[in-house]
Amino acid sequence: MLRATLKSLRSRKLRLILSGMAVVLGVMFVSGAFVLTNTLAASFDSLSASVYAGTDVAVSGKAPVSGGEPDENSATVPAELVGNVRAIPGVEKATGTVSASGARVIGSNGKVVTTSGPSRLGTSWTGTADLRQLRVGRGPRAADEIAVNASLAAAAGIKVGDRLGVLTLKPKKMFTLVGIFGYSGNRDTIGGAQEVSFIEPVAQELMLGKTGVYSAIVVTAAPGVTPDMLRDRLSATLGNAYDVKTGKQLQDAAAESFRQSLSFFNNVLLGFAGVALFVGTFLILNTFSILVAQRVKELALMRAIGASRWQMIGSVLAEALAIGVVASALGMGAGIGVGALLAYLFRHVGNTDLPMESIEIPASAVISAFAVGTLVTLVAALLPALRAARIPPVAALREVAAPDRPLTRLAVAGALTTAIGSTALGLGLAGQGGEATLLLLLGGVLVSFSGVALLTPMIARPVVSMLGLLFSWSVPGQLGRLNSARNPRRTAITAAALMVGLALITGVHVVLESAAASFTKMVDTRVKADLIIAGEPGGDSMPTFDPAVLDRARQTGGVREVVGEYGDIAMINGRPSRVNAVTDLAAMTRMLPLRAIEGTLATLPADHVVVDAERATELGLHAGSAVQVRLAHGGIRTMIVAGIYTDDDVYRVGGWILPAEAVHDFRVAQPSFGYLRLADGADATEIRKQIDALLVDSPEVTVGDRSTFIAQQSGQFDTVLAMIQLLLALAILIAVLGIVNTLALSVLERTRELGLLRAIGLRRAQAMRMITVEAVVISVFGALLGLAVGSGLGAAVVRALRKEGFTEVALPWEQMGAYLILAVIVGAFAATLPAIRAARVDVLSAIAHE
């Protein structure tokens, strides 16, 4: 039986290789994810070790506010503490340093140098050392001088001697570039960070908000004193007011933070792997189902000469195991290559300059590759194996040994599976799963797809027949239509590959399109500002502009009202919360959909605050309630709730609105948004030009009307869509493999039929057109299913997110039309090889074929 199985494998190499390609792709992404994350993590470990090599112990302040990026920069230590630390026994050297994110350089093109993730650091110049080395010029000595790292100099297109603007906690300031530095190992950057160095007092003022403070104190231990011993002494002396950590602890914390940030890439690759393997299951199931159907006589003869049912199951599963092992090995090899390539791109294209001495191949990559690959293949082949075991020996005597079976059981199973998946998905969307919500969502999607796939054969024959009418104007078209509807099970499973991919893409696209439509409607109907000053979201800091712009805008002719909005993170009753401060709350209510339901929004005294109804309910607050507020600077203050407002769950200002006086204690005392109402009859175009001129020193922000603001704030969806398009490419690739495999097996199965058609006059070109029509009909059928299922899933998600501001359900009709056209192209391309093979069938040999 084993020899027969091996012989069967050798006789069907090409077909089995095609079915195994989906497993290769899935395993490639699984192993590639582990290789990438482990390689980058090992590289960052090496990098952080070099960064903290000269640090025995570091003393830093505890952030008054916890829960967000700005909080790290608001933690400071007083300058006088440096002397106290030096006096502690065991300390050889103590140096105060300034290092905080938020220094944005304006390049030679007049625009802020952007970053895809790494920090834009502003630091104090402490001279050269083992880590930092000057390459050109010198270090800054005067208040208007700076030095930058080589990576930033290249990105900004600047050189020593240039005058350039820098944005920090303060509005734009001009500096002379006097030096460009690099790092040990001939690196231009540390992990992709952009670094600007000022003299110490300027760095303190611009990056920490005041002089006389440091971000941290770097301490060197005296000979004979270990870092752990020194840390314990410093902690005992300084008490709980400061964080005292060894260089090793800082290194480990930085490495752990980096590993957590890598989880995004890991999850994306694993998501692609999940789609590939899930779709690949249908491909393998279809392949083995066809092979079993084609070998009915062969398998029946084996039963007749004594093979047991278990041997038949074992034979099919042995073939599947061989495919799984080979595909897993190929996928693991490809995954190592993909992981290495992505690591290379991360280092060079991403300008991270991470040290990469070798590619890390963890045991998890190898184990997961073979475990996932073989398991998926075996599971997919199980049903065909059971079907092979049920073939009776008498089937060897029948001419038609594989009649089409009723679809009743399949329909019942599909309905039950779809119901279970829809229920799990509904519970997940409603947030009823608690900690298992994400599991319910993912499981619900997968089970729903499986249920739809089981139901698909019920509609395959009528739908495919109707689609085929488009091509029935010729004999090859009529034959292709009939062939595509001949076996609904086979057609449905073949179309499932494209269905799953397009359903996922369409569902996400519907959610994004609905978000954009909801935002557009909200701005158009509820935002009464005629002009809005804002920057594109993203980066390591929110775009801001000089507060003086608001005062000058008020003096511009034709401007009726101006409101500035500031943002920060605060601790309110001990909980981190996003807060906003506005310059004129009453004017804000006339421009944005804010409505008081308790108290007043007319005025906002210095010691008062207003809050939205949702947060007021959570904390049990009413007008007149007292709350404890702590901002980035200053101590805890008691503030009174002046009013509670509702924003109709459409426009989220931030929950908490503070008076303009509170801005002085924000980490960044500059507005992020400006709203302008114009007088009746004012020339909006002319006023916009005047406001543009006021923003010349704030290149991160622009002024525009509501449509400009919508386009600017919706631009972040483009990145998500680009990533989703990669998923579409993967789905198309697997769909092509599935259609090619099915048609190739179908052509072999119909060899005699093709020979007879050729004998009665069907030309080669007509045979090729017949196969092409069959492929296109199957591909379009899968696309239609995917668009329908994806639209339904997307609409359900949008409805579930109604309380989050999703008020409109919008379908991406243009993209959906493009996907249908793409399905036609995919079908035609996938039919190429099977069509050529059908056209080359020898007539006499085919007629004599058994």
Side-chain angles (χ1 to χ4, degrees):
M1 201 66 193
L2 180 60
R3 286 196 299 270
T5 300
L6 294 176
K7 185 176 180 181
S8 175
L9 274 171
R10 288 195 298 269
S11 66
R12 298 175 176 84
K13 294 188 291 291
L14 180 59
R15 280 164 273 167
L16 296 177
I17 287 173
L18 285 174
S19 64
M21 282 303 297
V23 177
V24 171
L25 291 172
V27 171
M28 178 184 74
F29 284 112
V30 171
S31 56
F34 287 109
V35 170
L36 172 65
T37 52
N38 278 268
T39 297
L40 293 182
S43 301
F44 192 83
D45 287 345
S46 175
L47 173 67
S48 58
S50 66
V51 169
Y52 293 105
T55 301
D56 289 330
V57 178
V59 179
S60 59
K62 292 186 176 180
V65 178
S66 61
E69 178 83 17
D71 313 336
E72 300 173 2
N73 295 341
S74 62
T76 60
V77 296
E80 56 268 21
L81 187 66
V82 177
N84 298 337
V85 169
R86 288 196 186 109
I88 296 175
V91 173
E92 180 176 314
K93 183 180 178 182
T95 305
T97 62
V98 175
S99 179
S101 64
R104 292 99 69 200
V105 169
I106 301 173
S108 57
N109 60 357
K111 298 181 179 179
V112 172
V113 181
T114 59
T115 175
S116 57
S119 297
R120 294 180 283 194
L121 296 174
T123 63
S124 57
W125 179 259
T126 55
T128 57
D130 293 338
L131 179 63
R132 185 161 55 180
Q133 303 162 352
L134 266 173
R135 293 186 181 174
V136 182
R138 58 174 175 81
R141 299 170 186 165
D144 65 341
E145 294 179 346
I146 59 170
V148 302
N149 64 4
S151 175
L152 176 54
I158 54 179
K159 61 184 183 301
V160 170
D162 287 349
R163 290 284 291 177
L164 59 144
V166 181
L167 305 174
T168 57
L169 297 181
K170 306 292 183 180
K172 172 185 169 183
K173 292 187 179 297
M174 298 300 297
F175 296 89
T176 299
L177 180 63
V178 297
I180 297 175
F181 57 88
Y183 307 91
S184 59
N186 200 33
R187 289 171 292 176
D188 294 340
T189 177
I190 296 292
Q194 302 173 2
E195 185 175 352
V196 183
S197 283
F198 311 88
I199 63 171
E200 185 176 282
V202 173
Q204 291 170 333
E205 180 67 26
L206 297 184
M207 302 310 304
L208 302 180
K210 57 183 177 181
T211 57
V213 294
Y214 293 110
S215 302
I217 302 172
V218 177
V219 185
T220 303
V225 179
T226 66
D228 289 341
M229 292 170 56
L230 183 57
R231 176 200 58 200
D232 294 341
R233 291 182 189 178
L234 291 172
S235 297
T237 305
L238 300 177
N240 296 326
Y242 302 98
D243 284 328
V244 183
K245 296 180 179 179
T246 63
K248 183 63 169 60
Q249 287 177 307
L250 294 173
Q251 175 187 334
D252 293 342
E256 179 59 28
S257 175
F258 184 75
R259 288 176 188 273
Q260 291 179 0
S261 65
L262 283 179
S263 63
F264 173 76
F265 297 100
N266 194 52
N267 291 337
V268 168
L269 291 175
L270 291 178
F272 282 5
V275 171
L277 292 169
F278 183 67
V279 176
T281 301
F282 292 100
L283 198 159
I284 297 168
L285 173 62
N286 204 24
T287 300
F288 276 93
S289 296
I290 297 173
L291 289 177
V292 168
Q294 291 177 351
R295 297 165 57 198
V296 169
K297 284 190 176 183
E298 174 191 332
L299 297 172
L301 284 172
M302 289 185 179
R303 290 295 312 282
I305 62 176
S308 67
R309 291 181 182 272
W310 285 109
Q311 284 178 311
M312 303 303 294
I313 294 175
S315 175
V316 176
L317 292 183
E319 290 187 21
L321 179 62
I323 294 172
V325 170
V326 172
S328 297
L330 293 175
M332 187 185 69
I336 293 172
V338 167
L341 175 62
L342 291 176
Y344 175 86
L345 293 175
F346 189 87
R347 182 179 190 270
H348 294 280
V349 178
N351 295 318
T352 57
D353 237 5
L354 281 177
M356 293 185 185
E357 300 175 359
S358 62
I359 300 299
E360 297 288 325
I361 306 175
S364 56
V366 179
I367 295 172
S368 60
F370 284 94
V372 170
T374 54
L375 181 62
V376 166
T377 312
L378 289 172
V379 169
L382 183 58
L383 284 178
L386 294 174
R387 195 173 302 143
R390 290 196 295 266
I391 295 175
V394 73
L397 305 176
R398 296 176 184 168
E399 182 65 27
V400 181
D404 203 9
R405 290 172 287 118
L407 299 174
T408 307
R409 291 184 180 179
L410 197 64
V412 172
L416 289 175
T417 305
T418 304
I420 293 171
S422 300
T423 302
L425 186 61
L427 291 174
L429 291 174
Q432 301 298 314
E435 296 182 357
T437 296
L438 181 60
L439 185 61
L440 277 175
L441 289 172
L442 295 177
V445 169
L446 290 177
V447 175
S448 297
F449 279 145
S450 300
V452 171
L454 291 173
L455 287 171
T456 302
M458 293 289 294
I459 62 172
R461 180 167 288 156
V463 174
V464 165
S465 295
M466 285 192 296
L467 290 174
L469 289 174
L470 298 173
F471 306 95
S472 295
W473 46 269
S474 65
V475 172
Q478 293 174 7
L479 292 173
R481 173 199 174 200
L482 294 173
N483 288 334
S484 59
R486 177 184 294 184
N487 191 326
R489 294 172 184 266
R490 184 180 302 178
T491 298
I493 296 176
T494 305
L498 196 56
M499 179 200 75
V500 172
L502 271 182
L504 290 173
I505 294 160
T506 304
V508 174
H509 213 142
V510 167
V511 173
L512 295 179
E513 194 80 7
S514 300
S518 300
F519 183 69
T520 300
K521 182 179 180 181
M522 178 274 297
V523 174
D524 282 341
T525 60
R526 297 178 178 275
V527 177
K528 304 305 179 184
D530 297 303
L531 296 176
I532 302 173
I533 301 172
E536 292 187 10
D540 61 344
S541 58
M542 191 69 181
T544 58
F545 57 95
D546 190 341
V549 171
L550 299 174
D551 297 327
R552 295 171 188 165
R554 291 188 184 94
Q555 301 168 8
T556 302
V559 175
R560 179 188 299 175
E561 289 181 317
V562 177
V563 176
E565 181 182 333
Y566 301 72
D568 206 349
I569 294 176
M571 298 296 290
I572 298 183
N573 285 352
R575 297 170 55 178
S577 302
R578 183 75 189 175
V579 296
N580 287 330
V582 297
T583 55
D584 188 339
L585 181 58
M588 187 76 145
T589 61
R590 290 190 288 271
M591 296 191 199
L592 298 178
L594 307 179
R595 179 171 53 87
I597 58 175
E598 189 177 334
T600 178
L601 303 182
T603 59
L604 192 56
D607 58 347
H608 285 62
V609 63
V610 297
V611 60
D612 69 354
E614 182 179 343
R615 288 167 178 77
T617 301
E618 288 178 2
L619 299 177
L621 300 176
H622 302 279
S625 298
V627 292
Q628 303 298 309
V629 179
R630 181 163 190 173
L631 299 172
H633 303 295
I636 298 175
R637 67 188 73 183
T638 300
M639 303 186 77
I640 306 301
V641 176
I644 298 173
Y645 69 91
T646 177
D647 53 10
D648 298 328
D649 293 319
V650 176
Y651 188 88
R652 299 284 179 182
V653 176
W656 299 90
I657 302 179
L658 277 59
E661 292 79 2
V663 169
H664 300 296
D665 289 328
F666 278 25
R667 197 187 75 84
V668 181
Q670 298 182 77
S672 301
F673 297 94
Y675 304 94
L676 287 73
R677 284 186 69 203
L678 307 184
D680 295 337
D683 187 342
T685 302
E686 180 59 31
I687 294 175
R688 181 173 175 177
K689 291 180 180 178
Q690 295 180 48
I691 303 301
D692 265 330
L694 297 178
L695 293 170
V696 66
D697 289 335
S698 303
E700 288 183 304
V701 298
T702 57
V703 61
D705 56 17
R706 288 191 290 271
S707 61
T708 303
F709 178 69
I710 291 169
Q712 182 187 61
Q713 300 300 307
S714 301
Q716 55 190 315
F717 297 145
D718 295 339
T719 302
V720 180
L721 283 176
M723 190 174 299
I724 294 302
Q725 297 304 323
L726 294 177
L727 187 62
L728 173 61
L730 176 63
I732 288 175
L733 177 59
I734 298 177
V736 168
L737 291 174
I739 296 172
V740 169
N741 211 25
T742 298
L743 291 180
L745 292 169
S746 181
V747 167
L748 181 64
E749 185 179 53
R750 289 149 44 194
T751 300
R752 183 181 176 122
E753 175 187 320
L754 289 169
L756 290 172
L757 289 172
R758 291 292 312 283
I760 61 175
L762 190 72
R763 297 189 299 275
R764 290 180 183 270
Q766 289 178 314
M768 294 180 67
R769 198 153 64 243
M770 177 184 69
I771 299 299
T772 301
V773 167
E774 186 176 347
V776 169
V777 169
I778 293 174
S779 181
V780 172
F781 174 58
L784 287 174
L785 279 177
L787 294 177
V789 173
S791 298
L793 286 175
V797 172
V798 171
R799 289 302 183 192
L801 295 175
R802 189 172 183 84
K803 290 186 177 180
E804 302 302 321
F806 285 73
T807 59
E808 303 295 313
V809 177
L811 298 180
W813 293 110
E814 292 184 6
Q815 288 77 10
M816 292 167 70
Y819 293 156
L820 275 178
I821 295 173
L822 185 61
V824 174
I825 298 173
V826 166
F829 177 77
T832 303
L833 291 178
I836 292 174
R837 182 169 185 174
R840 289 178 177 175
V841 168
D842 182 81
V843 177
L844 294 178
S845 300
I847 293 174
H849 182 80
E850 290 293 336

